Amino acid sequence: MSAGNKETRRDTECQSGTECFSNPLMSDVASDWSPIHDAAYNGRILALQRLIAQGTRVNLSTLDKVSPLHGACMQGHTACAKLLMDNGANVNNSTADGQTPLTEACAQGHVACVSLLLQHGAASLGTSQSSSPIHRAAAKGHPECIEHLVQYGADVDQHIDQLGSPLQVACNNQHLSTVKKLLQLGACVNRNASGDSPLHIAARLSSPELVSVLLDHGADRFRMNSEGKRPLDLATPSSPAERLLKQAGDLGTNINLDVYMET
């Protein structure tokens, strides 16, 4: 939808008698930010309690389908999120672009909110491919969120077209601690349904830290990607990552990374 069409929709809603509030943090999209959204987003628990007592709907949404619960979880306001859910907020409500309160909390690394949402029935697998909480947490580097998601049934190897698995996403974003957590939780180190395996990704990025961790967990140095290339073929020549890949067969997988960090 074009910006012009969004403005037309917004004007129509405001003229119809719905009170509109501008949210400066969402100025790039059409957003009708109500008092209950404002209270939830800013962690104003007393104002939120008062609005709910006055009968304000906890599932009131903006034109982009952002709910007060989305706002609370974006900012990590756990008390506000709990109050909203205790009063009937839809824990799996999706925005216009498919994001749930859980994906928003995972993207920001708000572990307490993630745990609370899961306890209240949030879908750990997401409600669509565009709202996978574990992929959002992997992309942003939040291993603690991933641990909670897996405890509540998230698939550590969940595949999304164009993105691949959470491990591939974490490697692409070079989040080493998240890669380690996913491997600890049993992620498949050689998965390459989207073309490149995690080791291919690490080699492309010439990241010796990622290469070392993946090799330690059994990554296949000889696995071909969709282009018929091995990880070694993708590493920057003479880089520490290339040297690790070349020497892994002779030295075994438990390699002292410091030996290869000198250029």
Side-chain angles (χ1 to χ4, degrees), residues 13-260:
E13 289 291 332
C14 290
Q15 291 167 8
S16 69
T18 300
E19 190 173 10
C20 295
F21 292 79
S22 174
N23 173 16
L25 296 177
M26 300 181 68
S27 58
D28 58 330
V29 295
S31 175
D32 299 323
W33 206 244
S34 71
I36 194 169
H37 286 89
D38 187 70
Y41 187 87
N42 290 293
R44 295 165 52 207
I45 188 72
L46 295 179
L48 190 60
Q49 287 174 334
R50 184 173 63 253
L51 288 164
I52 292 172
Q54 290 172 351
T56 305
R57 292 184 294 115
V58 295
N59 288 310
L60 183 66
S61 292
T62 68
L63 293 178
D64 296 300
K65 299 184 180 179
V66 177
S67 69
L69 185 58
H70 281 101
C73 293
M74 287 176 196
Q75 295 295 93
H77 296 309
T78 309
C80 288
K82 184 176 187 304
L83 178 62
L84 288 163
M85 287 185 284
D86 287 347
N87 283 275
N90 183 351
V91 72
N92 288 311
N93 200 25
S94 295
T95 62
D97 60 354
Q99 302 309 314
T100 65
L102 183 58
T103 57
E104 298 290 7
C106 286
Q108 300 301 324
H110 298 312
V111 180
C113 265
V114 169
S115 177
L116 182 67
L117 288 163
L118 290 167
Q119 291 170 29
H120 281 77
S124 61
L125 292 172
T127 56
S128 67
Q129 281 210 336
S130 65
S131 69
S132 166
I134 196 169
H135 283 82
R136 291 295 296 277
K140 297 296 185 178
H142 300 305
E144 298 89 351
C145 293
I146 289 172
E147 189 162 23
H148 281 284
L149 290 166
V150 172
Q151 288 173 353
Y152 277 82
D155 181 2
V156 75
D157 288 319
Q158 183 180 355
H159 175 80
I160 288 183
D161 296 338
Q162 307 306 318
L163 291 179
S165 69
L167 182 58
Q168 289 167 301
V169 169
C171 286
N172 266 315
N173 288 278
Q174 300 190 64
H175 293 308
L176 184 61
S177 62
T178 304
V179 167
K180 290 178 178 179
K181 175 58 68 176
L182 286 163
L183 290 168
Q184 177 189 328
L185 293 170
C188 178
V189 73
N190 289 312
R191 190 178 183 89
N192 66 336
S194 293
D196 283 348
S197 71
L199 189 57
H200 283 96
I201 295 169
R204 275 189 199 275
L205 295 169
S206 286
S207 170
E209 296 85 1
L210 288 177
V211 167
S212 178
V213 167
L214 294 167
L215 288 172
D216 283 348
H217 284 81
D220 184 355
R221 295 183 302 121
F222 302 104
R223 194 177 187 88
M224 300 288 190
N225 67 4
S226 57
E227 300 170 340
K229 295 184 180 295
R230 302 169 301 162
L232 181 60
D233 300 326
L234 304 177
T236 300
S238 302
S239 66
E242 185 195 54
R243 292 199 293 273
L244 277 170
L245 288 163
K246 282 183 175 179
Q247 297 297 322
D250 297 329
L251 300 178
T253 57
N254 293 315
I255 302 169
N256 183 350
L257 182 58
D258 293 337
V259 174
Y260 296 93

